Amino acid sequence: MNIADKAKLLLADGYDEALLLFCCELTEEYIKSYCHLEEIPKGAEHLASQMAAGCYREAKDGGKAVKSVTRGDFSVTYSDGAQDVLQGYSERLNAFRKMKW
């Protein structure tokens, strides 16, 4: 089962195939670039499908998800889109990251 198939399982309410495939490719590129790897490690495949599903949800919502709310003198911060979703997984990706020389 590839990353897209696993992400489809996480999106039980239906999905747009083209957008999901784009999010999967974006996720794969992000992981490879962040970890300095040529391919996604076996141990990161489930994480990649979670990231792709999150990226899909963010793209489907139009990138206007609320990132934080401050109540004193009211303030709302909106997400910067799919990039915020992907960057949110960086701590978990550190286990797969290789040093770049």
Side-chain angles (χ1 to χ4, degrees), residues 8-50:
K8 289 175 188 177
L9 295 174
L10 297 172
L11 300 169
D13 57 344
Y15 54 88
D16 175 357
E17 184 80 25
L19 181 58
L20 179 60
L21 291 177
F22 173 76
C23 289
C24 289
E25 289 175 11
L26 185 66
T27 299
E28 288 182 34
E29 287 175 16
Y30 180 83
I31 291 172
K32 290 175 186 177
S33 174
Y34 183 82
C35 295
H36 310 293
L37 299 170
E38 294 295 319
E39 58 185 55
I40 303 217
K42 283 277 188 205
E45 289 176 354
H46 292 296
L47 180 59
S49 38
Q50 288 177 340

Side-chain angles (χ1 to χ4, degrees), residues 19-99:
L19 181 58
L20 179 60
L21 291 177
F22 173 76
C23 289
C24 289
E25 289 175 11
L26 185 66
T27 299
E28 288 182 34
E29 287 175 16
Y30 180 83
I31 291 172
K32 290 175 186 177
S33 174
Y34 183 82
C35 295
H36 310 293
L37 299 170
E38 294 295 319
E39 58 185 55
I40 303 217
K42 283 277 188 205
E45 289 176 354
H46 292 296
L47 180 59
S49 38
Q50 288 177 340
M51 291 172 70
C55 178
Y56 176 85
R57 287 185 193 106
E58 185 70 23
K60 199 72 170 165
D61 291 339
K64 298 296 181 194
V66 174
K67 186 175 180 180
S68 69
V69 176
T70 307
R71 289 183 180 78
D73 290 329
F74 190 77
S75 170
V76 177
T77 304
Y78 292 96
S79 168
D80 290 333
Q83 193 65 25
D84 270 355
V85 172
L86 297 178
Q87 288 176 349
Y89 287 91
S90 60
E91 189 173 312
R92 291 177 62 191
L93 286 172
N94 285 341
F96 304 101
R97 200 166 190 192
K98 302 292 180 196
M99 226 181 203

